[in-house]
Amino acid sequence: MSDVHVFPCSSAQALALLYVQKKEYENPTPEQLAEDYKIAYSSINEYFKDNKKPSDWF
């Protein structure tokens, strides 16, 4: 059985990608996109950690 990696594999990854896709750029560099994704991903992860809901919430 092979390891299959699917992107995005978490809500934080999906939201970070959406953030970068929706941000208005004028000729962004790959480094700028990567940095914006990294910042968004980190912020979203922190938000989820700080606002964790009880397991029976949903």
Side-chain angles (χ1 to χ4, degrees), residues 28-56:
T29 64
E31 295 84 3
Q32 183 180 10
L33 294 174
E35 183 66 20
D36 285 350
Y37 176 87
K38 184 176 83 171
I39 291 168
Y41 179 76
S42 179
S43 296
I44 292 164
N45 260 343
E46 282 300 311
Y47 174 82
F48 284 157
K49 287 178 190 174
D50 293 344
N51 294 287
K52 189 168 185 155
K53 302 290 184 198
S55 60
D56 64 347

Side-chain angles (χ1 to χ4, degrees), residues 11-43:
S11 296
Q13 285 182 349
L15 290 169
L17 177 61
L18 182 62
Y19 172 81
V20 171
Q21 286 177 332
K22 295 296 181 181
K23 188 172 178 181
E24 291 187 23
Y25 292 100
E26 189 172 315
N27 299 320
T29 64
E31 295 84 3
Q32 183 180 10
L33 294 174
E35 183 66 20
D36 285 350
Y37 176 87
K38 184 176 83 171
I39 291 168
Y41 179 76
S42 179
S43 296

